[in-house]
Amino acid sequence: MNTQDPVDPLPAYRQLADQIADQILAGEILPGNQLPSETVLAQTYGVHRSTVREGIRLLEETGMLRRKSQKRLVVSIPDGSHLAGRTAQALVMQQVTVRDLYQANVAFDPVLAGQAAANASGTQITRLHRNLRETRLASDHDELAALDAEFHLLVCEATNNPIFQTMRQPLHDLFLPMVSDLVHQIDTSARMITAHEKIVAAIEVRDESEAATWARRHIEDFKRGYLKAALDFDKPVKMARMRHL
């Protein structure tokens, strides 16, 4: 199968990566399966080894392949962080604002909390309680911001829905600097802890409506605090740190 299509403007290594990805998505190559060597792939697809090498690099970046050793590549299931990082970068380049991000979280967070109340496992609820304990004991602003970030990831994880987790991750990554800005300006710990306690309590008793209500109150309280701190609600958002390309 020759990847050199004269009417396709994509470079050969992209065509090769797409063909291998198609086979993976079609179930012809399964997660955990080892990919043939570069030499075999080059012979199979009728391309140079350098083309194979570049195509494999693209698939490693997507998370569809991972390297177990220098010469051993296996098919893997992307964990979502690959897509999330690039989505967050694209949003930064589009200069989305704090207000844009807030509005997205107003739409997402109550749904996530409600789904967590419906689907959280006992282990996940235990992790939320541990996060609450550590938040109550937090001794500085950076620790508080990090625990708040962890709390929202735990709630999202407790939905047990990989679609929610993948969609929420870029919002989470962009929200981190905003939370850090806020907690360094005003003391939000008491209101944050109260909201987290209410959300966890609702999740524990499987009250979807109550969990969603408190999640919405929590994100709306963020806006009130942000404006009270005289922070710019319409400034473009930044990432806490850029992921590797």
Side-chain angles (χ1 to χ4, degrees):
M1 186 184 299
N2 196 317
T3 62
Q4 303 292 338
D5 185 346
V7 300
D8 194 329
L10 290 176
Y13 70 89
R14 286 288 304 273
Q15 295 182 50
L16 172 67
D18 288 346
Q19 289 183 31
I20 295 175
D22 286 344
Q23 289 182 277
I24 293 172
L25 294 172
E28 297 170 16
I29 311 175
L30 300 175
N33 286 173
Q34 183 174 342
L35 212 63
S37 69
E38 288 182 6
T39 300
V40 172
L41 288 172
Q43 293 171 348
T44 301
Y45 292 98
V47 296
H48 296 295
R49 284 185 63 183
S50 60
T51 299
V52 171
R53 199 170 296 117
E54 285 301 302
I56 285 173
R57 181 182 61 80
L58 284 181
L59 292 171
E60 285 185 274
E61 289 179 355
T62 68
M64 296 181 82
L65 294 179
R66 61 186 174 85
R67 195 172 292 277
K68 280 202 163 184
S69 66
Q70 185 64 28
K71 295 185 178 181
R72 190 179 178 207
L73 280 164
V74 297
V75 176
S76 62
I77 299 174
D79 61 8
S81 62
H82 300 82
L83 175 62
R86 294 186 181 277
T87 300
Q89 291 170 8
L91 291 172
V92 168
M93 293 177 70
Q94 292 174 46
Q95 295 194 311
V96 298
T97 65
V98 175
R99 186 183 302 275
D100 294 329
L101 195 59
Y102 163 77
Q103 291 170 346
N105 278 281
V106 167
F108 267 105
D109 286 0
V111 173
L112 297 178
Q115 288 299 303
N119 300 311
S121 69
T123 298
Q124 289 165 336
I125 292 171
T126 297
R127 290 176 185 156
L128 284 164
H129 276 294
R130 184 180 65 225
N131 175 275
L132 275 179
R133 290 193 300 272
E134 292 176 357
T135 303
R136 294 186 191 105
L137 297 172
S139 58
D140 61 61
H141 295 142
D142 290 334
E143 185 180 9
L144 186 67
L147 286 165
D148 179 62
E150 181 189 61
F151 175 83
H152 290 285
L153 281 180
L154 289 171
V155 170
C156 188
E157 178 186 313
T159 67
N160 288 300
N161 185 319
I163 297 175
F164 286 143
Q165 292 166 18
T166 300
M167 293 175 67
R168 182 65 172 79
Q169 186 64 50
L171 299 183
H172 169 82
D173 291 348
L174 294 178
F175 213 67
L176 286 176
M178 293 159 47
V179 173
S180 181
D181 287 347
L182 179 58
V183 300
H184 279 85
Q185 290 291 323
I186 60 176
D187 183 6
T188 63
S189 58
R191 296 178 71 86
M192 177 191 295
I193 291 168
T194 296
H196 288 188
E197 287 173 340
K198 295 291 187 180
I199 292 168
V200 173
I203 290 173
E204 192 162 28
V205 298
R206 308 297 181 187
D207 191 332
E208 298 175 43
S209 177
E210 183 75 356
T213 295
W214 272 100
R216 186 177 185 89
R217 289 179 184 174
H218 186 31
I219 188 64
E220 289 174 346
D221 198 45
F222 165 83
K223 178 182 178 180
R224 283 190 290 271
Y226 210 80
L227 295 177
K228 180 180 178 182
L231 294 167
D232 186 357
F233 208 57
D234 290 301
K235 72 175 181 180
V237 300
K238 302 295 182 184
M239 294 185 69
R241 62 181 179 88
M242 300 300 286
R243 298 176 188 273
H244 294 297
L245 297 175

